[in-house]
């Protein structure tokens, strides 16, 4: 059920059918705006590739339908999301003033292993009114100042009354809330992140929503935390953005 809910949201985000993610062949859909899409998405997409493992669904501007369809059908699924094949897609879009920008792995909870993990510190459930004053660089993975109205629930770890770790979630869409987590550097590698993440995931499920977790493939610390906390890899995405956006992020 959890995976189906995630696919339903991906279908909304990609302007396709849920069945497209499990049909066994690659699909190209024309991207459109949708008020029910994840709030942080900037639709319509230039190009966004999604795979749950069996095929690729590409959500694209109609202008690029042919070039993307050719690309995803030329190379194996997993190779479309990495170099060297990725350069083929990037080179095609760079001629049009765009570049491959985001490459991310998404995780969903495995109910058979999800459990509240122990923590040596006091844990507290936090709500939006508790986040005031926390919109700083220190907690920028857990909270997002640009979309603070979406930050809806959190779990904090305290040592002697001082916040040392925070997991919080944003209500990115109607059915799914995304988890982010930060722990102060001097308190890392002590199981705090996984304790916070697992507790928050359970709180989200008890609220009737599906928790999800995202990180870059190279962020091994974050991926390890997801797995330790009871999450498992579910889908991957690769997104093309205007070159100006990529350049701005690099500065």
């Amino acid at each position: 059920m959890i995976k189906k809910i995630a696919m339903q949201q991906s279908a909304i985000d990609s302007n396709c059918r849920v069945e497209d993610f499990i049909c066994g062949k690659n699909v190209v859909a024309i991207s459109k705006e949708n008020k029910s899409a994840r709030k942080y998405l900037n639709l319509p997409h230039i190009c966004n590739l999604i795979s749950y493992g069996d095929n690729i669904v590409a959500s694209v501007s109609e202008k690029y339908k042919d070039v993307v369809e050719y690309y995803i059908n030329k190379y194996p699924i997993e190779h479309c999301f990495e170099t060297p094949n990725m350069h083929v897609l990037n080179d095609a879009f760079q001629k049009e003033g765009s570049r491959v920008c985001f490459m991310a792995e998404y995780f969903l909870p495995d109910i058979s292993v999800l459990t509240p993990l122990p923590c040596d510190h006091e844990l507290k459930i936090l709500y939006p009114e508790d986040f005031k004053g926390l919109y700083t660089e220190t907690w920028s993975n857990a909270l997002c100042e640009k979309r603070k109205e979406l930050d809806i629930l959190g779990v904090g770890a305290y040592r002697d009354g001082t916040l040392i770790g925070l997991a919080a979630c944003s209500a990115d869409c109607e059915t799914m809330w995304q988890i982010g987590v930060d722990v102060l550097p001097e308190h890392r590698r002590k199981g705090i992140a996984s304790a916070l993440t697992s507790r928050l995931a359970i709180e989200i499920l008890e609220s009737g929503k599906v928790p999800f977790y995202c990180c870059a493939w190279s962020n091994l610390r974050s991926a390890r935390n997801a797995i330790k906390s009871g999450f498992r890899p579910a889908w991957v995405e690769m997104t093309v953005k205007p070159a100006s956006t990529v350049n701005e992020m690099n500065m």
Side-chain angles (χ1 to χ4, degrees), residues 235-250:
W235 80 94
V236 294
E237 295 193 25
M238 187 168 74
T239 309
V240 173
K241 291 284 186 180
S244 58
T245 300
V246 177
N247 293 336
E248 182 180 349
M249 293 180 70
N250 284 331

Side-chain angles (χ1 to χ4, degrees), residues 5-250:
I5 290 172
M7 286 185 176
Q8 288 171 339
Q9 187 59 47
S10 293
I12 291 170
D13 299 339
S14 301
N15 191 39
C16 70
R17 304 174 306 156
V18 175
E19 294 78 10
D20 290 338
F21 295 105
I22 55 174
C23 67
K25 62 181 181 179
N26 295 329
V27 175
V28 178
I30 304 305
S31 182
K32 294 182 180 180
E33 293 184 13
N34 192 318
K35 292 181 180 179
S36 298
R38 283 174 285 165
K39 303 300 182 184
Y40 57 86
L41 296 180
N42 186 15
L43 298 179
H45 286 300
I46 296 172
C47 172
N48 189 63
L49 307 184
I50 297 180
S51 178
Y52 280 82
D54 294 328
N55 67 332
I56 297 174
V57 172
S59 181
V60 303
S61 167
E62 189 165 10
K63 172 180 181 180
Y64 303 116
K65 181 179 184 294
D66 291 343
V67 67
V68 175
E69 188 170 40
Y70 173 79
Y71 174 75
I72 63 176
N73 287 316
K74 181 176 182 180
Y75 303 109
I77 296 168
E78 62 275 13
H79 293 173
C80 285
F81 291 84
E82 63 177 9
T83 58
N85 297 153
M86 186 191 74
H87 289 303
V88 173
L89 186 68
N90 188 70
D91 289 348
F93 275 105
Q94 194 157 333
K95 295 175 183 176
E96 301 291 329
S98 300
R99 292 180 180 176
V100 173
C101 183
F102 298 123
M103 301 163 63
E105 185 170 15
Y106 290 81
F107 299 78
L108 291 172
D110 181 345
I111 301 302
S112 67
V113 298
L114 180 64
T115 188
L117 296 177
C119 184
D120 293 334
H121 304 283
E122 180 187 9
L123 300 184
K124 294 181 181 179
I125 304 299
L126 304 177
Y127 300 95
E129 59 268 23
D130 300 311
F131 299 149
K132 295 176 181 178
L134 298 180
Y135 286 95
T136 65
E137 184 64 27
T138 300
W139 311 113
S140 59
N141 288 312
L143 301 171
C144 180
E145 187 169 15
K146 290 183 179 180
R147 296 184 295 274
K148 62 174 61 177
E149 71 280 1
L150 300 179
D151 293 331
I152 197 165
L153 186 65
V155 180
Y158 292 82
R159 181 180 182 183
D160 298 328
T162 298
L163 184 67
I164 61 172
L166 173 65
C169 62
S170 55
D172 289 337
C173 55
E174 178 62 30
T175 58
M176 302 177 69
W177 293 354
Q178 181 173 193
I179 293 177
V181 61
D182 290 292
V183 176
L184 297 183
E186 62 270 28
H187 294 287
R188 292 172 184 168
R189 299 182 180 273
K190 298 176 182 178
I192 297 173
S194 57
L196 292 171
T197 304
S198 61
R199 299 291 179 96
L200 182 55
I202 291 170
E203 291 290 331
I204 294 171
L205 286 167
E206 290 179 350
S207 297
K209 306 297 181 180
V210 170
F212 72 104
Y213 188 107
C214 172
C215 70
W217 298 333
S218 57
N219 192 342
L220 295 181
R221 287 190 306 179
S222 188
R224 288 185 186 124
N225 177 59
I227 292 170
K228 184 178 179 181
S229 302
F231 285 75
R232 297 293 181 263
W235 80 94
V236 294
E237 295 193 25
M238 187 168 74
T239 309
V240 173
K241 291 284 186 180
S244 58
T245 300
V246 177
N247 293 336
E248 182 180 349
M249 293 180 70
N250 284 331

